[in-house]
Amino acid sequence: PTKEHVLVELELRESERIARQLVRFASTGPDVESTLREAIRLVLVLEQRLGAILFKEFLALHFSQTRPADSGPDQQAVIIALAAAIERAKSAGGVDASVNATNSAVFFLLGLYALLTTTHQWPARGALIEDYLRGTSNSFDPKRHYGMAHYLMKHVWPAIGDVVVKGREAMDWLT
């Protein structure tokens, strides 16, 4: 077996362990932000257990072209656990109805892994992770979606109108 095969086995074991802990945590009924925060905590505990070098190799595997073929995101235990928590919150109205739970879990974890891989020695790493958590949590809030759409509507529609008018003027000029 190659190094990548060993890392995949380690990932499988550790993601199943983290997923079990996340499912247990989510069964207490926390909101999505608390569940995401717990996922971050569990991954950071894994970092301490594995050590910086092995942990970085472990996370880098997610972005590697030499990663052995696997069954895709539906077979990743942590993704499944996070997606289930997001889906429960969506059913309860705490997450916008348009949110795709599986995609959101994948995006969250890949972003977290990228942050942890690249910021290991940064003094402000904790604040960066907190900001990432806050931004991700805010993106789920149904009330924030209306505010963002309203803001964009005020700016995008006039810009589209300008573009369409300019296009019409160009066609008039050409004919």
Side-chain angles (χ1 to χ4, degrees), residues 18-41:
I18 288 173
R20 282 192 303 275
Q21 292 176 315
L22 270 177
V23 167
R24 191 171 29 250
F25 179 83
S27 71
T28 65
D31 61 7
V32 173
E33 183 173 346
S34 298
T35 303
L36 297 176
R37 185 178 304 281
E38 179 65 4
I40 291 170
R41 187 190 72 76

Side-chain angles (χ1 to χ4, degrees), residues 50-82:
L50 296 180
I53 295 171
L54 181 56
F55 184 73
K56 193 169 186 174
E57 291 284 330
F58 175 85
L59 291 183
L61 183 64
H62 290 90
F63 307 100
S64 173
Q65 293 182 350
T66 60
R67 178 186 175 94
D70 63 7
S71 303
D74 291 338
Q75 299 304 313
Q76 299 293 325
V78 179
I79 292 171
I80 294 168
L82 279 177

Side-chain angles (χ1 to χ4, degrees), residues 23 58 70 75 102 107 113-114 117 133 140 143 152 164-165 167:
V23 167
F58 175 85
D70 63 7
Q75 299 304 313
T102 300
F107 299 152
Y113 298 159
T117 300
L133 171 64
F140 292 137
K143 295 176 212 119
L152 285 173
V164 171
V165 168

